[in-house]
mmCIF file of all heavy atoms in Angstrom:
data_model
loop_
_atom_site.group_PDB
_atom_site.id
_atom_site.type_symbol
_atom_site.label_atom_id
_atom_site.label_comp_id
_atom_site.label_asym_id
_atom_site.label_seq_id
_atom_site.Cartn_x
_atom_site.Cartn_y
_atom_site.Cartn_z
ATOM 1 N N ILE A 177 -42.464 23.285 2.269
ATOM 2 C CA ILE A 177 -42.096 22.025 2.931
ATOM 3 C C ILE A 177 -40.809 21.412 2.239
ATOM 4 O O ILE A 177 -40.040 20.643 2.792
ATOM 5 C CB ILE A 177 -43.274 21.012 2.931
ATOM 6 C CG1 ILE A 177 -43.821 20.768 1.560
ATOM 7 C CG2 ILE A 177 -44.356 21.488 3.895
ATOM 8 C CD1 ILE A 177 -44.872 19.633 1.485
ATOM 9 N N ALA A 179 -38.149 22.807 1.603
ATOM 10 C CA ALA A 179 -36.954 23.272 2.136
ATOM 11 C C ALA A 179 -36.280 22.336 3.098
ATOM 12 O O ALA A 179 -35.164 22.574 3.634
ATOM 13 C CB ALA A 179 -37.111 24.676 2.668
ATOM 14 N N PHE A 180 -36.991 21.229 3.432
ATOM 15 C CA PHE A 180 -36.441 20.223 4.322
ATOM 16 C C PHE A 180 -35.984 19.017 3.612
ATOM 17 O O PHE A 180 -36.342 18.782 2.346
ATOM 18 C CB PHE A 180 -37.477 19.886 5.471
ATOM 19 C CG PHE A 180 -37.868 21.022 6.254
ATOM 20 C CD1 PHE A 180 -38.970 21.819 6.018
ATOM 21 C CD2 PHE A 180 -37.043 21.390 7.352
ATOM 22 C CE1 PHE A 180 -39.273 22.962 6.783
ATOM 23 C CE2 PHE A 180 -37.397 22.545 8.150
ATOM 24 C CZ PHE A 180 -38.463 23.260 7.828
ATOM 25 N N GLY A 181 -35.226 18.109 4.254
ATOM 26 C CA GLY A 181 -34.733 16.958 3.635
ATOM 27 C C GLY A 181 -34.939 15.674 4.418
ATOM 28 O O GLY A 181 -35.473 15.740 5.581
ATOM 29 N N PRO A 182 -34.308 14.550 4.054
ATOM 30 C CA PRO A 182 -34.502 13.254 4.705
ATOM 31 C C PRO A 182 -33.976 13.241 6.160
ATOM 32 O O PRO A 182 -34.341 12.417 6.883
ATOM 33 C CB PRO A 182 -33.869 12.293 3.793
ATOM 34 C CG PRO A 182 -32.929 13.087 2.942
ATOM 35 C CD PRO A 182 -33.583 14.384 2.819
ATOM 36 N N THR A 183 -32.987 14.081 6.469
ATOM 37 C CA THR A 183 -32.391 14.148 7.807
ATOM 38 C C THR A 183 -33.084 15.148 8.706
ATOM 39 O O THR A 183 -32.734 15.245 9.865
ATOM 40 C CB THR A 183 -30.915 14.447 7.676
ATOM 41 O OG1 THR A 183 -30.725 15.696 7.037
ATOM 42 C CG2 THR A 183 -30.176 13.348 7.092
ATOM 43 N N SER A 184 -34.077 15.797 8.135
ATOM 44 C CA SER A 184 -34.858 16.715 9.000
ATOM 45 C C SER A 184 -35.812 15.929 9.888
ATOM 46 O O SER A 184 -36.394 14.894 9.441
ATOM 47 C CB SER A 184 -35.640 17.768 8.188
ATOM 48 O OG SER A 184 -34.828 18.434 7.246
ATOM 49 N N PRO A 185 -36.121 16.428 11.027
ATOM 50 C CA PRO A 185 -37.289 15.830 11.841
ATOM 51 C C PRO A 185 -38.591 16.046 11.109
ATOM 52 O O PRO A 185 -38.842 17.108 10.675
ATOM 53 C CB PRO A 185 -37.244 16.552 13.145
ATOM 54 C CG PRO A 185 -36.544 17.841 12.932
ATOM 55 C CD PRO A 185 -35.523 17.478 11.852
ATOM 56 N N ARG A 186 -39.339 14.953 10.957
ATOM 57 C CA ARG A 186 -40.458 15.066 10.071
ATOM 58 C C ARG A 186 -41.839 15.127 10.747
ATOM 59 O O ARG A 186 -42.836 15.550 10.097
ATOM 60 C CB ARG A 186 -40.549 13.707 9.149
ATOM 61 C CG ARG A 186 -39.309 13.571 8.261
ATOM 62 C CD ARG A 186 -39.505 12.417 7.326
ATOM 63 N NE ARG A 186 -40.502 12.636 6.420
ATOM 64 C CZ ARG A 186 -41.264 11.692 5.881
ATOM 65 N NH1 ARG A 186 -41.048 10.440 6.229
ATOM 66 N NH2 ARG A 186 -42.285 11.922 4.995
ATOM 67 N N ASN A 187 -41.974 14.742 11.998
ATOM 68 C CA ASN A 187 -43.271 14.765 12.655
ATOM 69 C C ASN A 187 -43.218 15.096 14.150
ATOM 70 O O ASN A 187 -43.162 14.163 14.912
ATOM 71 C CB ASN A 187 -43.964 13.422 12.424
ATOM 72 C CG ASN A 187 -45.430 13.392 12.773
ATOM 73 O OD1 ASN A 187 -46.035 14.421 12.823
ATOM 74 N ND2 ASN A 187 -45.981 12.213 13.032
ATOM 75 N N PRO A 188 -43.243 16.413 14.511
ATOM 76 C CA PRO A 188 -43.401 17.569 13.589
ATOM 77 C C PRO A 188 -42.040 18.038 13.189
ATOM 78 O O PRO A 188 -40.963 17.780 13.871
ATOM 79 C CB PRO A 188 -44.195 18.483 14.488
ATOM 80 C CG PRO A 188 -43.562 18.235 15.886
ATOM 81 C CD PRO A 188 -43.421 16.772 15.935
ATOM 82 N N THR A 189 -42.053 18.947 12.190
ATOM 83 C CA THR A 189 -40.953 19.612 11.828
ATOM 84 C C THR A 189 -40.894 21.089 12.351
ATOM 85 O O THR A 189 -41.816 21.917 12.084
ATOM 86 C CB THR A 189 -40.817 19.766 10.211
ATOM 87 O OG1 THR A 189 -40.884 18.451 9.736
ATOM 88 C CG2 THR A 189 -39.578 20.466 9.749
ATOM 89 N N PRO A 190 -39.899 21.438 13.206
ATOM 90 C CA PRO A 190 -39.882 22.765 13.756
ATOM 91 C C PRO A 190 -39.319 23.865 12.825
ATOM 92 O O PRO A 190 -38.917 23.518 11.752
ATOM 93 C CB PRO A 190 -38.939 22.597 14.999
ATOM 94 C CG PRO A 190 -37.933 21.504 14.509
ATOM 95 C CD PRO A 190 -38.802 20.654 13.638
ATOM 96 N N ASP A 191 -39.460 25.116 13.252
ATOM 97 C CA ASP A 191 -38.913 26.150 12.410
ATOM 98 C C ASP A 191 -37.420 26.040 12.167
ATOM 99 O O ASP A 191 -36.977 26.291 11.021
ATOM 100 C CB ASP A 191 -39.178 27.528 13.006
ATOM 101 C CG ASP A 191 -40.688 27.942 12.993
ATOM 102 O OD1 ASP A 191 -41.206 27.988 11.793
ATOM 103 O OD2 ASP A 191 -41.329 28.237 14.085
ATOM 104 N N LEU A 192 -36.740 25.788 13.264
ATOM 105 C CA LEU A 192 -35.244 25.666 13.187
ATOM 106 C C LEU A 192 -34.724 24.284 13.406
ATOM 107 O O LEU A 192 -34.973 23.703 14.533
ATOM 108 C CB LEU A 192 -34.670 26.625 14.302
ATOM 109 C CG LEU A 192 -34.968 28.097 14.101
ATOM 110 C CD1 LEU A 192 -34.432 28.904 15.332
ATOM 111 C CD2 LEU A 192 -34.526 28.729 12.748
ATOM 112 N N CYS A 193 -34.191 23.700 12.310
ATOM 113 C CA CYS A 193 -33.620 22.368 12.431
ATOM 114 C C CYS A 193 -32.745 22.186 11.211
ATOM 115 O O CYS A 193 -32.625 22.946 10.340
ATOM 116 C CB CYS A 193 -34.697 21.273 12.554
ATOM 117 S SG CYS A 193 -35.775 21.232 10.983
ATOM 118 N N ILE A 194 -32.080 20.974 11.152
ATOM 119 C CA ILE A 194 -31.353 20.714 9.908
ATOM 120 C C ILE A 194 -32.279 20.552 8.738
ATOM 121 O O ILE A 194 -33.429 20.120 8.925
ATOM 122 C CB ILE A 194 -30.532 19.351 10.142
ATOM 123 C CG1 ILE A 194 -29.589 19.237 8.985
ATOM 124 C CG2 ILE A 194 -31.422 18.136 10.271
ATOM 125 C CD1 ILE A 194 -28.528 18.060 9.224
ATOM 126 N N GLN A 195 -31.877 21.058 7.632
ATOM 127 C CA GLN A 195 -32.735 21.068 6.355
ATOM 128 C C GLN A 195 -32.194 20.178 5.288
ATOM 129 O O GLN A 195 -32.781 19.079 5.132
ATOM 130 C CB GLN A 195 -32.955 22.509 5.961
ATOM 131 C CG GLN A 195 -33.736 23.341 6.860
ATOM 132 C CD GLN A 195 -34.067 24.783 6.522
ATOM 133 O OE1 GLN A 195 -33.394 25.787 6.912
ATOM 134 N NE2 GLN A 195 -34.937 24.943 5.620
ATOM 135 N N ARG A 196 -31.173 20.490 4.604
ATOM 136 C CA ARG A 196 -30.536 19.591 3.662
ATOM 137 C C ARG A 196 -31.502 18.928 2.617
ATOM 138 O O ARG A 196 -31.712 17.797 2.511
ATOM 139 C CB ARG A 196 -29.800 18.529 4.407
ATOM 140 C CG ARG A 196 -28.628 18.872 5.322
ATOM 141 C CD ARG A 196 -27.487 19.319 4.454
ATOM 142 N NE ARG A 196 -26.355 19.777 5.331
ATOM 143 C CZ ARG A 196 -25.152 20.110 4.823
ATOM 144 N NH1 ARG A 196 -24.984 20.292 3.578
ATOM 145 N NH2 ARG A 196 -24.202 20.437 5.811
ATOM 146 N N PRO A 270 -48.236 17.712 4.948
ATOM 147 C CA PRO A 270 -48.929 18.852 5.387
ATOM 148 C C PRO A 270 -49.571 19.581 4.195
ATOM 149 O O PRO A 270 -49.020 19.788 3.165
ATOM 150 C CB PRO A 270 -48.045 19.820 6.118
ATOM 151 C CG PRO A 270 -46.649 19.465 5.551
ATOM 152 C CD PRO A 270 -46.724 17.983 5.126
ATOM 153 N N ASN A 298 -42.774 28.467 9.752
ATOM 154 C CA ASN A 298 -43.648 27.467 9.330
ATOM 155 C C ASN A 298 -45.128 27.868 9.590
ATOM 156 O O ASN A 298 -45.411 28.583 10.585
ATOM 157 C CB ASN A 298 -43.498 26.136 10.055
ATOM 158 C CG ASN A 298 -42.078 25.456 9.898
ATOM 159 O OD1 ASN A 298 -41.362 25.747 8.963
ATOM 160 N ND2 ASN A 298 -41.772 24.617 10.924
ATOM 161 N N ASP A 335 -41.107 11.465 0.426
ATOM 162 C CA ASP A 335 -40.587 10.775 1.561
ATOM 163 C C ASP A 335 -39.529 11.565 2.328
ATOM 164 O O ASP A 335 -39.134 11.235 3.438
ATOM 165 C CB ASP A 335 -40.034 9.374 1.179
ATOM 166 C CG ASP A 335 -41.141 8.472 0.719
ATOM 167 O OD1 ASP A 335 -42.283 8.664 1.138
ATOM 168 O OD2 ASP A 335 -40.718 7.476 0.076
ATOM 169 N N SER A 336 -39.043 12.678 1.663
ATOM 170 C CA SER A 336 -37.986 13.472 2.339
ATOM 171 C C SER A 336 -38.618 14.669 2.935
ATOM 172 O O SER A 336 -37.780 15.462 3.593
ATOM 173 C CB SER A 336 -36.865 13.803 1.326
ATOM 174 O OG SER A 336 -37.427 14.774 0.404
ATOM 175 N N TRP A 337 -39.864 14.952 2.854
ATOM 176 C CA TRP A 337 -40.488 16.086 3.283
ATOM 177 C C TRP A 337 -41.201 15.921 4.683
ATOM 178 O O TRP A 337 -41.429 14.733 5.031
ATOM 179 C CB TRP A 337 -41.505 16.587 2.290
ATOM 180 C CG TRP A 337 -40.864 17.242 1.045
ATOM 181 C CD1 TRP A 337 -39.589 17.469 0.773
ATOM 182 C CD2 TRP A 337 -41.625 17.763 -0.070
ATOM 183 N NE1 TRP A 337 -39.423 18.071 -0.345
ATOM 184 C CE2 TRP A 337 -40.665 18.329 -0.947
ATOM 185 C CE3 TRP A 337 -43.001 17.799 -0.321
ATOM 186 C CZ2 TRP A 337 -40.989 18.925 -2.149
ATOM 187 C CZ3 TRP A 337 -43.259 18.370 -1.628
ATOM 188 C CH2 TRP A 337 -42.320 18.989 -2.525
ATOM 189 N N PRO A 338 -41.443 17.024 5.348
ATOM 190 C CA PRO A 338 -42.138 16.918 6.633
ATOM 191 C C PRO A 338 -43.525 16.231 6.495
ATOM 192 O O PRO A 338 -44.223 16.312 5.408
ATOM 193 C CB PRO A 338 -42.386 18.407 7.034
ATOM 194 C CG PRO A 338 -41.277 19.167 6.380
ATOM 195 C CD PRO A 338 -41.132 18.393 5.076
ATOM 196 N N MET A 339 -43.933 15.458 7.589
ATOM 197 C CA MET A 339 -45.279 14.880 7.613
ATOM 198 C C MET A 339 -46.218 15.924 8.299
ATOM 199 O O MET A 339 -47.444 15.905 7.968
ATOM 200 C CB MET A 339 -45.207 13.632 8.396
ATOM 201 C CG MET A 339 -44.267 12.585 7.747
ATOM 202 S SD MET A 339 -43.976 11.150 8.888
ATOM 203 C CE MET A 339 -45.649 10.431 8.992
ATOM 204 N N ASN A 340 -45.620 16.833 9.105
ATOM 205 C CA ASN A 340 -46.506 17.711 9.863
ATOM 206 C C ASN A 340 -45.543 18.930 10.320
ATOM 207 O O ASN A 340 -44.414 18.698 10.634
ATOM 208 C CB ASN A 340 -46.999 16.998 11.094
ATOM 209 C CG ASN A 340 -48.087 17.912 11.763
ATOM 210 O OD1 ASN A 340 -48.804 18.638 11.165
ATOM 211 N ND2 ASN A 340 -48.273 17.665 13.098
ATOM 212 N N PHE A 341 -46.127 20.138 10.138
ATOM 213 C CA PHE A 341 -45.365 21.330 10.644
ATOM 214 C C PHE A 341 -45.728 21.642 11.995
ATOM 215 O O PHE A 341 -46.838 21.656 12.494
ATOM 216 C CB PHE A 341 -45.854 22.504 9.697
ATOM 217 C CG PHE A 341 -44.915 22.777 8.528
ATOM 218 C CD1 PHE A 341 -45.424 23.432 7.453
ATOM 219 C CD2 PHE A 341 -43.602 22.338 8.457
ATOM 220 C CE1 PHE A 341 -44.594 23.802 6.276
ATOM 221 C CE2 PHE A 341 -42.809 22.633 7.411
ATOM 222 C CZ PHE A 341 -43.291 23.298 6.396
ATOM 223 N N ASP A 342 -44.636 22.078 12.805
ATOM 224 C CA ASP A 342 -44.764 22.674 14.053
ATOM 225 C C ASP A 342 -44.788 24.288 13.722
ATOM 226 O O ASP A 342 -43.755 24.878 13.368
ATOM 227 C CB ASP A 342 -43.678 22.405 14.987
ATOM 228 C CG ASP A 342 -43.682 23.179 16.191
ATOM 229 O OD1 ASP A 342 -44.542 24.028 16.470
ATOM 230 O OD2 ASP A 342 -42.802 22.995 17.095
#
Side-chain angles (χ1 to χ4, degrees):
I177 55 174
F180 297 96
T183 55
S184 306
R186 299 186 64 209
N187 192 22
T189 303
D191 286 305
L192 300 176
C193 65
I194 190 169
Q195 293 183 256
R196 298 287 184 178
N298 294 341
D335 288 343
S336 72
W337 283 358
M339 299 168 68
N340 191 28
F341 263 158
D342 175 358

